[in-house]
PDB file of all heavy atoms in Angstrom:
ATOM      1  N   ARG X 168     -24.788  -2.636  22.702  1.00 92.00           N
ATOM      2  CA  ARG X 168     -25.179  -2.484  24.161  1.00 92.00           C
ATOM      3  C   ARG X 168     -25.237  -0.988  24.425  1.00 92.00           C
ATOM      4  O   ARG X 168     -24.301  -0.283  24.319  1.00 92.00           O
ATOM      5  CB  ARG X 168     -24.298  -3.214  25.062  1.00 92.00           C
ATOM      6  CG  ARG X 168     -24.313  -4.670  24.822  1.00 92.00           C
ATOM      7  CD  ARG X 168     -23.421  -5.409  25.839  1.00 92.00           C
ATOM      8  NE  ARG X 168     -23.331  -6.850  25.353  1.00 92.00           N
ATOM      9  CZ  ARG X 168     -22.616  -7.793  25.874  1.00 92.00           C
ATOM     10  NH1 ARG X 168     -21.876  -7.417  26.894  1.00 92.00           N
ATOM     11  NH2 ARG X 168     -22.707  -9.004  25.483  1.00 92.00           N
ATOM     12  N   ASN X 229     -25.381 -10.899  34.318  1.00 59.00           N
ATOM     13  CA  ASN X 229     -26.707 -11.283  33.805  1.00 59.00           C
ATOM     14  C   ASN X 229     -26.713 -12.225  32.697  1.00 59.00           C
ATOM     15  O   ASN X 229     -27.720 -12.427  32.037  1.00 59.00           O
ATOM     16  CB  ASN X 229     -27.509  -9.948  33.550  1.00 59.00           C
ATOM     17  CG  ASN X 229     -27.132  -9.174  32.351  1.00 59.00           C
ATOM     18  OD1 ASN X 229     -26.100  -9.582  31.693  1.00 59.00           O
ATOM     19  ND2 ASN X 229     -27.648  -8.022  32.147  1.00 59.00           N
ATOM     20  N   ASP X 546       6.693   6.092  13.576  1.00 97.00           N
ATOM     21  CA  ASP X 546       6.755   5.730  15.014  1.00 97.00           C
ATOM     22  C   ASP X 546       5.266   5.674  15.628  1.00 97.00           C
ATOM     23  O   ASP X 546       4.987   4.845  16.510  1.00 97.00           O
ATOM     24  CB  ASP X 546       7.526   6.660  15.766  1.00 97.00           C
ATOM     25  CG  ASP X 546       9.048   6.543  15.444  1.00 97.00           C
ATOM     26  OD1 ASP X 546       9.369   5.505  14.959  1.00 97.00           O
ATOM     27  OD2 ASP X 546       9.761   7.569  15.611  1.00 97.00           O
TER      28      ASP X 546
ATOM     29  P     G M  40      18.040  15.834   5.100  1.00 95.88           P
ATOM     30  OP1   G M  40      18.268  16.981   6.132  1.00 95.88           O
ATOM     31  OP2   G M  40      19.347  15.320   4.450  1.00 95.88           O
ATOM     32  O5'   G M  40      17.272  14.587   5.728  1.00 95.88           O
ATOM     33  C5'   G M  40      16.173  14.833   6.540  1.00 95.88           C
ATOM     34  C4'   G M  40      16.259  14.117   7.931  1.00 95.88           C
ATOM     35  O4'   G M  40      16.443  12.689   7.542  1.00 95.88           O
ATOM     36  C3'   G M  40      17.651  14.420   8.581  1.00 95.88           C
ATOM     37  O3'   G M  40      17.407  14.233  10.047  1.00 95.88           O
ATOM     38  C2'   G M  40      18.559  13.370   8.095  1.00 95.88           C
ATOM     39  O2'   G M  40      19.532  13.110   9.065  1.00 95.88           O
ATOM     40  C1'   G M  40      17.656  12.236   8.015  1.00 95.88           C
ATOM     41  N9    G M  40      18.178  11.201   7.080  1.00 95.88           N
ATOM     42  C8    G M  40      18.518  11.461   5.692  1.00 95.88           C
ATOM     43  N7    G M  40      18.949  10.255   5.141  1.00 95.88           N
ATOM     44  C5    G M  40      18.841   9.326   6.081  1.00 95.88           C
ATOM     45  C6    G M  40      19.114   7.947   5.941  1.00 95.88           C
ATOM     46  O6    G M  40      19.628   7.263   5.037  1.00 95.88           O
ATOM     47  N1    G M  40      18.823   7.374   7.377  1.00 95.88           N
ATOM     48  C2    G M  40      18.343   8.050   8.432  1.00 95.88           C
ATOM     49  N2    G M  40      18.178   7.283   9.405  1.00 95.88           N
ATOM     50  N3    G M  40      18.087   9.321   8.406  1.00 95.88           N
ATOM     51  C4    G M  40      18.407   9.875   7.280  1.00 95.88           C
ATOM     52  P     G M  41      16.745  15.219  10.911  1.00 95.88           P
ATOM     53  OP1   G M  41      16.863  16.623  10.332  1.00 95.88           O
ATOM     54  OP2   G M  41      17.171  15.075  12.263  1.00 95.88           O
ATOM     55  O5'   G M  41      15.220  14.701  10.761  1.00 95.88           O
ATOM     56  C5'   G M  41      14.028  15.643  10.702  1.00 95.88           C
ATOM     57  C4'   G M  41      13.247  15.308  11.865  1.00 95.88           C
ATOM     58  O4'   G M  41      12.951  13.947  11.919  1.00 95.88           O
ATOM     59  C3'   G M  41      13.680  15.711  13.231  1.00 95.88           C
ATOM     60  O3'   G M  41      12.727  16.232  14.049  1.00 95.88           O
ATOM     61  C2'   G M  41      14.284  14.463  13.829  1.00 95.88           C
ATOM     62  O2'   G M  41      14.334  14.578  15.205  1.00 95.88           O
ATOM     63  C1'   G M  41      13.251  13.519  13.273  1.00 95.88           C
ATOM     64  N9    G M  41      13.806  12.058  13.279  1.00 95.88           N
ATOM     65  C8    G M  41      14.971  11.610  12.787  1.00 95.88           C
ATOM     66  N7    G M  41      15.054  10.405  12.928  1.00 95.88           N
ATOM     67  C5    G M  41      13.936   9.968  13.437  1.00 95.88           C
ATOM     68  C6    G M  41      13.445   8.693  13.855  1.00 95.88           C
ATOM     69  O6    G M  41      14.029   7.666  13.801  1.00 95.88           O
ATOM     70  N1    G M  41      12.176   8.722  14.434  1.00 95.88           N
ATOM     71  C2    G M  41      11.477   9.830  14.641  1.00 95.88           C
ATOM     72  N2    G M  41      10.289   9.731  15.173  1.00 95.88           N
ATOM     73  N3    G M  41      11.857  11.025  14.425  1.00 95.88           N
ATOM     74  C4    G M  41      13.035  11.015  13.735  1.00 95.88           C
ATOM     75  P     A M  81     -23.968  -7.535  34.873  1.00 95.88           P
ATOM     76  OP1   A M  81     -24.932  -8.638  34.496  1.00 95.88           O
ATOM     77  OP2   A M  81     -23.525  -7.432  36.201  1.00 95.88           O
ATOM     78  O5'   A M  81     -22.651  -7.923  33.977  1.00 95.88           O
ATOM     79  C5'   A M  81     -22.563  -7.477  32.622  1.00 95.88           C
ATOM     80  C4'   A M  81     -22.914  -8.662  31.659  1.00 95.88           C
ATOM     81  O4'   A M  81     -22.564  -8.261  30.344  1.00 95.88           O
ATOM     82  C3'   A M  81     -22.140  -9.862  31.915  1.00 95.88           C
ATOM     83  O3'   A M  81     -22.881 -11.064  31.521  1.00 95.88           O
ATOM     84  C2'   A M  81     -20.822  -9.731  31.085  1.00 95.88           C
ATOM     85  O2'   A M  81     -20.279 -11.004  30.624  1.00 95.88           O
ATOM     86  C1'   A M  81     -21.434  -8.975  29.906  1.00 95.88           C
ATOM     87  N9    A M  81     -20.560  -7.994  29.374  1.00 95.88           N
ATOM     88  C8    A M  81     -19.762  -7.095  30.044  1.00 95.88           C
ATOM     89  N7    A M  81     -19.035  -6.361  29.176  1.00 95.88           N
ATOM     90  C5    A M  81     -19.286  -6.807  27.964  1.00 95.88           C
ATOM     91  C6    A M  81     -18.835  -6.450  26.593  1.00 95.88           C
ATOM     92  N6    A M  81     -17.952  -5.540  26.409  1.00 95.88           N
ATOM     93  N1    A M  81     -19.388  -7.019  25.595  1.00 95.88           N
ATOM     94  C2    A M  81     -20.278  -8.114  25.890  1.00 95.88           C
ATOM     95  N3    A M  81     -20.715  -8.482  26.983  1.00 95.88           N
ATOM     96  C4    A M  81     -20.220  -7.757  28.032  1.00 95.88           C
TER      97        A M  81
END
Side-chain angles (χ1 to χ4, degrees):
Chain X
R168 294 182 188 175
N229 69 4
D546 288 337

